[in-house]
Amino acid sequence: MNEPAPSTPLGVMAYDFAIVGVQKGGTSTLAVTLNQHPLVCQPPDKERHYFDDESVDWSAPDHARDYVAPRRAAIHRRVGDASPTYLYWPHAMERMRAYDPRMPLVAVFRDPLERLFSHWVMLRSRNLAWPDWPDFLTEWPHTSLPDEVPDGVRPMRWRHMTGLARGFYGEQLQRGFELFDRRQWLLLELRAMLADFEATIHRTTDFLDLPRFERVPPLRNWHAGAEQVPGTAPTADDVARLAALYAKDLALFEELSGIDTSAWPTRLVLDGDLAPGELAARFARKVR
């Protein structure tokens, strides 16, 4: 379990908003930008990983001790937790509701196939001991959103290797909307965020009841993946099979979110407007 935040002369602040997903969807870029707002306190860690910590006694958590950040300036009004595991991690959203049922939640979404491949590239770029692409797909071959962390596995490995599960956005939103009022959610899309970053940041500060930046910090691609990684490239069959795996859930996500996915490669593959081999070849350029 993470150590509680140290006390400071200005005391501590309880986390009061969260960026809950998705990994490799622009959460770092969004969080780093928000943390430059004069009224937002930068927390010790961008990803607090509190509600996905299985070592916490969730029958009697001590939020006032464990889920706070040191206040850095008297002017600070808000502090946020950007842990992109919360949206898919079993019971994390229920734990968040128990912590604060009025908490504002932000989620940034990215095409599920692009997200999945980027996830694998990130792991391989950090350490070649992480599995190659075929094993990444088969260690936990989820076909829907998991309800529990399996017994006897290391939560850290499960966190990194549940790439398929993270792409079931529809199920994740369905669960999230059952727990938190829809008005507490700001749903963003990566392509739109990158196309008009200033407008996205203004939407986000409006949502968090913060004054807008006088000048939005420049867009920076934080935690971008490596140019290339060693390994086995996805095949056309992989792409076609994965698109089919996500098809039903993607339709649910489109219905629940209202996000335009017409430019997403997964949607294009499913609609027959993009050949699986073409997307596989695009991915293969990142693999040597």
Side-chain angles (χ1 to χ4, degrees):
M1 178 177 162
N2 293 325
E3 291 297 319
S7 183
T8 70
L10 295 172
V12 295
M13 301 176 66
Y15 286 91
D16 62 2
F17 74 91
I19 300 172
V20 296
V22 298
Q23 186 188 41
K24 306 309 295 179
T27 58
S28 293
T29 296
L30 183 62
V32 169
T33 302
L34 289 175
N35 286 339
Q36 296 176 67
H37 192 285
L39 300 185
V40 174
C41 178
Q42 180 176 336
D45 302 295
K46 175 210 150 224
E47 299 183 15
R48 178 60 182 81
H49 285 295
Y50 180 60
F51 296 107
D52 63 0
D53 187 344
E54 297 303 318
S55 69
V56 172
D57 177 4
W58 289 109
S59 66
D62 189 351
H63 300 313
R65 173 185 180 273
D66 296 327
Y67 198 51
V68 293
R71 186 186 295 273
R72 297 177 183 271
I75 195 175
H76 286 154
R77 280 175 36 195
R78 308 211 74 144
V79 61
D81 175 1
S83 297
T85 48
Y86 290 161
L87 194 57
Y88 92 96
W89 193 271
H91 308 300
M93 300 303 295
E94 290 89 342
R95 295 162 182 170
M96 293 184 78
R97 177 178 169 78
Y99 168 72
D100 182 0
R102 299 166 298 176
M103 196 167 189
L105 306 169
V106 181
V108 193
F109 295 95
R110 179 184 187 181
D111 173 78
L113 289 182
E114 289 184 331
R115 194 223 66 79
L116 179 66
F117 179 68
S118 182
H119 181 151
W120 174 73
V121 168
M122 176 192 70
L123 292 180
R124 293 286 284 183
S125 66
R126 291 179 177 177
N127 189 338
L128 288 179
W130 284 107
D132 199 359
W133 173 257
D135 296 322
F136 178 63
L137 296 183
T138 56
E139 182 162 337
W140 278 294
H142 293 105
T143 58
S144 62
L145 193 65
D147 295 324
E148 299 288 344
V149 178
D151 291 333
V153 305
R154 289 183 293 129
M156 180 63 74
R157 185 171 183 88
W158 198 76
R159 179 188 297 171
H160 286 309
M161 291 296 293
T162 45
L164 288 173
R166 291 175 184 248
F168 295 111
Y169 303 153
E171 289 187 62
Q172 292 171 50
L173 272 188
Q174 188 171 56
R175 180 171 64 189
F177 287 175
E178 289 171 355
L179 294 167
F180 292 90
D181 190 279
R182 176 66 179 84
R183 291 168 294 184
Q184 291 171 239
W185 289 87
L186 176 63
L187 308 182
L188 304 173
E189 193 273 330
L190 179 62
R191 279 179 167 80
M193 182 174 83
L194 299 180
D196 195 342
F197 188 61
E198 182 174 301
T200 298
I201 296 302
H202 287 330
R203 279 186 66 197
T204 308
T205 51
D206 291 349
F207 173 72
L208 295 173
D209 195 26
L210 291 167
R212 292 186 173 188
F213 281 96
E214 291 184 11
R215 179 174 295 178
V216 172
L219 172 64
R220 293 186 61 184
N221 187 8
W222 293 88
H223 301 307
E227 287 296 318
Q228 282 192 321
V229 294
T232 304
T235 66
D237 286 345
D238 290 339
V239 169
R241 178 173 58 84
L242 292 168
L245 176 68
Y246 285 132
K248 182 179 178 181
D249 184 85
L250 180 58
L252 176 62
F253 171 74
E254 291 162 343
E255 177 186 351
L256 291 177
S257 70
I259 286 176
D260 179 9
T261 67
S262 60
W264 282 12
T266 304
R267 171 49 62 203
L268 294 172
V269 168
L270 289 170
D271 290 347
D273 296 321
L274 176 64
E278 184 179 340
L279 183 56
R282 191 186 309 170
F283 289 157
R285 289 195 284 269
K286 296 275 289 185
V287 184
R288 66 177 185 271

